[in-house]
Amino acid sequence: MLEHILFIVAVTGLLASTVFLGLVIVAAFRFRGSVKRNDAQAEHKPKMPPVTVLKPLHGMEPLLEQCLEGFFRQDYPVYELIFGARTEDDPALAVVESLKKKYPHVQTQIVLSGEPAYPNAKVFLMERMETVACHSILVISDSDVRVTADYLKQVVQPFAHNNVGMVTCLYRGVPTGGIWSRLEALGMSVEMSSGVLVANLLEGMKFALGPTMGIRKGVLDAWGGFSVLGDYCADDFLMGSLTYAAGSQVVLSHHVIDHVVLHCTAGQSLLHQLRWMKSSRFSRRLGHIGTGLTFAMPFGLLGLLAGWMSGNWALGLGLPGAAFANRVVQSLVVGWGITRDRNSALFCWLYPARDLLGFVLWCGSFFGSEIVWRQERYRLVAGGRMIRKEQPGATGADRAGCAT
């Protein structure tokens, strides 16, 4: 009977993941169609209001200078850059100072937050930066984001509609060396983007993605400002949710950015992804549980096991083969077709392994409530709130951290 149960579970799981793939394909075609319509409308030059870019920093990172320099080279009429760090000895600030000298015409400020008043240090830093912002549209961008010169034009464009309160972007992963970095990058380009596209298809955008969040200052103030987010891990998810609840539209931009993967070793990469998975579990419990049915490879392997146990090799090999093909198609449709990630096409054969890893991380997210973020340990509680755990005598070497 065991092999029959395994077959039933395997087939049910593969059917669910195939339905998900169908939704992904429909959502991808819909997104591409809206991109073409947007390109046609872009011929009528939209207004380009002044913009303040908020860039939280936290130490040196791979490709940091390249990432930051892209913001100094924006083809945009009026904008300012505000960089924030906790202390003046943050090594990332030396990169900022160098770029300020290279691009003296770009209005730039540096804000130091000191020790954070909230568990989420990034939110506290953004709150401090916002107090010196000159313009009414804020674009918040992580330090590990790489952009082209038309980035601000593309992100700000939807604000031409008065009902739009927030804009966010899909992103493609940029590996920085090693198999673990490449697997994490594939997850960004394909797995993450697939989920966002389907959510946008089924119910519209009710959340935002941290690497880029554009928001009107008036909308931010309407739901209470950054201080409301101070206790939460998934501040990006909550910002989008609060904006939507306040009656403003959250728009998924047609622009896709680069997101540099900061982790090259297995330990660093897995800790970082597990943190995100646990945050998702506490922030949107039901949606996170349902995510388990979007994976294909685990059910394909169950079919292989059932085939071996029963001697039915036709089904035993057919089910994992179908799962493998399912994930290759997803990698090509989303990774190449939407995010234009060349690696998602070249390494589409590797994405099934990423799918299997994603399932393992999803399972791991249900064990424990502790996370490590910016070399600090926290406990997650209901609703996604964070409680900082005191670690007397701990040193940076003792606390393996993960970047923003």
Side-chain angles (χ1 to χ4, degrees), residues 192-216:
M192 169 66 77
S193 297
S194 296
V196 172
L197 289 170
V198 170
N200 191 31
L201 171 71
L202 296 180
E203 59 178 10
M205 294 298 292
K206 298 181 180 180
F207 57 93
L209 304 173
T212 284
M213 299 181 290
I215 190 168
R216 297 183 193 272

Side-chain angles (χ1 to χ4, degrees), residues 22-39:
L23 290 172
V24 168
I25 293 172
V26 172
F29 274 97
R30 177 174 176 263
F31 185 81
R32 289 300 300 169
S34 64
V35 170
K36 291 178 180 178
R37 290 192 298 272
N38 180 73
D39 291 343

Side-chain angles (χ1 to χ4, degrees), residues 5-16:
I5 294 174
L6 290 177
F7 264 129
I8 291 171
V9 173
V11 170
T12 302
L14 278 175
L15 286 174

Side-chain angles (χ1 to χ4, degrees), residues 2 28 59 81 99 103 125 158 162 168 270 277 293 302 307 310 325 337 345:
L2 179 59
L81 300 176
L99 291 170
Y103 300 94
L125 182 53
N162 293 330
T168 194
L270 295 177
M277 280 283 191
L293 293 174
L302 274 182
S310 64

Side-chain angles (χ1 to χ4, degrees), residues 165-171 191-215 234-245 248-253 276 280 283-284 287:
M166 194 171 189
V167 180
T168 194
C169 290
L170 293 174
Y171 49 87
E191 181 182 307
M192 169 66 77
S193 297
S194 296
V196 172
L197 289 170
V198 170
N200 191 31
L201 171 71
L202 296 180
E203 59 178 10
M205 294 298 292
K206 298 181 180 180
F207 57 93
L209 304 173
T212 284
M213 299 181 290
I215 190 168
D235 52 271
D236 52 354
F237 175 85
L238 191 57
M239 279 186 72
S241 178
L242 290 171
T243 297
Y244 178 83
S248 293
Q249 187 178 358
V250 181
V251 171
L252 181 63
S253 171
W276 184 89
S280 176
S283 299
R284 48 180 201 94

Side-chain angles (χ1 to χ4, degrees), residues 18-337:
T18 302
V19 170
F20 175 71
L21 177 62
L23 290 172
V24 168
I25 293 172
V26 172
F29 274 97
R30 177 174 176 263
F31 185 81
R32 289 300 300 169
S34 64
V35 170
K36 291 178 180 178
R37 290 192 298 272
N38 180 73
D39 291 343
Q41 295 171 1
E43 294 178 4
H44 307 287
K45 293 184 179 179
K47 294 180 180 179
M48 290 188 284
V51 174
T52 296
V53 179
L54 306 183
K55 295 286 292 184
L57 304 173
H58 187 71
M60 289 298 294
E61 298 169 346
L63 306 181
L64 180 64
E65 182 173 3
Q66 186 182 126
C67 289
L68 299 186
E69 187 169 12
F71 289 84
F72 284 87
R73 302 178 64 179
Q74 287 301 296
D75 180 17
Y76 199 83
V78 181
Y79 73 100
E80 65 171 343
L81 300 176
I82 301 179
F83 295 93
R86 186 180 299 190
T87 60
E88 62 182 356
D89 60 352
D90 190 309
L93 294 180
V95 178
V96 174
E97 292 292 352
S98 174
L99 291 170
K100 284 177 63 178
K101 294 176 182 177
K102 188 174 180 180
Y103 300 94
H105 61 284
V106 178
Q107 184 179 347
T108 308
Q109 297 185 66
I110 292 176
V111 172
L112 301 178
S113 69
E115 289 303 308
Y118 312 134
N120 191 322
K122 176 185 170 184
V123 166
F124 183 66
L125 182 53
M126 291 192 297
E127 182 180 53
R128 295 296 301 272
M129 289 190 286
E130 191 249 342
T131 62
V132 301
C134 296
H135 307 308
S136 61
I137 291 182
L138 307 176
V139 174
I140 304 160
S141 175
D142 286 345
S143 55
D144 50 8
V145 163
R146 190 172 63 186
V147 299
T148 53
D150 63 339
Y151 167 76
L152 284 180
K153 281 184 179 179
Q154 297 290 339
V155 171
V156 173
Q157 184 179 335
F159 286 116
H161 302 282
N162 293 330
N163 62 324
V164 174
M166 194 171 189
V167 180
T168 194
C169 290
L170 293 174
Y171 49 87
R172 54 185 157 260
V174 178
T176 51
I179 185 63
W180 294 104
S181 175
R182 187 169 299 284
L183 287 171
E184 186 172 347
L186 283 172
M188 291 179 179
S189 299
V190 184
E191 181 182 307
M192 169 66 77
S193 297
S194 296
V196 172
L197 289 170
V198 170
N200 191 31
L201 171 71
L202 296 180
E203 59 178 10
M205 294 298 292
K206 298 181 180 180
F207 57 93
L209 304 173
T212 284
M213 299 181 290
I215 190 168
R216 297 183 193 272
K217 251 189 172 184
V219 171
L220 177 66
D221 294 337
W223 50 253
F226 285 117
S227 61
V228 174
L229 313 172
D231 291 334
Y232 293 87
C233 181
D235 52 271
D236 52 354
F237 175 85
L238 191 57
M239 279 186 72
S241 178
L242 290 171
T243 297
Y244 178 83
S248 293
Q249 187 178 358
V250 181
V251 171
L252 181 63
S253 171
H254 301 122
H255 190 62
V256 180
I257 59 176
D258 287 342
H259 193 321
V260 177
V261 176
L262 304 180
H263 313 97
C264 296
T265 67
Q268 291 174 334
S269 179
L270 295 177
L271 269 178
H272 175 250
Q273 294 175 81
L274 189 58
R275 170 172 70 82
W276 184 89
M277 280 283 191
K278 284 186 177 181
S279 172
S280 176
R281 167 193 156 201
F282 280 89
S283 299
R284 48 180 201 94
R285 185 174 295 274
L286 291 179
H288 183 68
I289 292 173
T291 299
L293 293 174
T294 66
F295 299 102
M297 288 306 298
F299 299 106
L301 293 181
L302 274 182
L304 178 64
L305 177 61
W308 174 75
M309 292 176 65
S310 64
N312 188 340
W313 287 108
L315 281 176
L317 295 177
L319 292 179
F324 185 90
N326 182 311
R327 297 298 92 161
V328 168
V329 170
Q330 184 184 358
S331 185
L332 292 172
V333 169
V334 177
W336 173 245

